[in-house]
């Protein structure tokens, strides 16, 4: 009788590791999170100090918060160049950033 109990316990311990792996799926690699940022900037005429009431919004993403904010500000500056031409720049930008 003792031998039967020992044999049953031994078999159950051998099968125990297999029980959890029968339906296990490989874990998907986690996608690295990036910073996303939006910038709202005023448009300033260089040399005049004229800020006006014009504002443009831009967005950007990057590996760090600062990188994302710079990309968003570059996006606004590109819009200003396309819309107003030379002599204008982004001024007093406010940023909203998040990590996703």
């Amino acid at each position: 009788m003792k031998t039967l109990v020992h044999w049953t316990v031994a078999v159950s311990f051998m099968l125990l590791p297999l029980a959890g792996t029968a339906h296990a799926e490989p874990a998907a690699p986690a996608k690295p999170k990036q910073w996303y940022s939006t910038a709202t900037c005023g448009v300033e005429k260089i040399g005049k100090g004229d800020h006006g009431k014009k504002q443009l919004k831009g967005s950007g993403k990057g590996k760090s918060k600062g990188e994302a904010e710079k990309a968003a500000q570059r996006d606004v500056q590109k819009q200003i160049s396309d819309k107003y031409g030379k002599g204008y720049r982004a001024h007093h930008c406010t940023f909203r950033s998040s990590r996703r």
Side-chain angles (χ1 to χ4, degrees):
M1 186 69 172
K2 260 187 173 178
T3 315
L4 182 64
V5 172
H6 288 282
W7 184 82
T8 307
V9 171
V11 169
S12 64
F13 278 119
M14 288 186 335
L15 294 176
L16 188 62
L18 298 176
T21 60
H23 297 288
E25 295 177 17
K31 186 177 177 187
K33 290 188 175 184
Q34 283 196 320
W35 281 92
Y36 292 84
S37 185
T38 58
T40 303
C41 303
V43 179
E44 177 187 34
K45 188 170 177 109
I46 297 172
K48 297 286 186 187
D50 174 27
H51 303 144
K53 294 189 179 191
K54 300 169 250 178
Q55 284 193 331
L56 292 173
K57 289 186 179 183
S59 60
K61 65 180 178 178
K63 291 181 180 179
S64 67
K65 184 177 177 183
E67 197 176 297
E69 289 176 352
K70 286 178 187 175
Q73 189 167 354
R74 279 194 304 270
D75 184 36
V76 172
Q77 186 60 52
K78 184 179 181 321
Q79 290 177 40
I80 291 171
S81 297
D82 293 344
K83 192 169 185 178
Y84 299 104
K86 287 188 173 184
Y88 291 87
R89 68 175 176 183
H91 183 70
H92 283 306
C93 295
T94 55
F95 299 100
R96 291 188 62 115
S97 302
S98 65
R99 193 166 182 211
R100 296 184 248 152

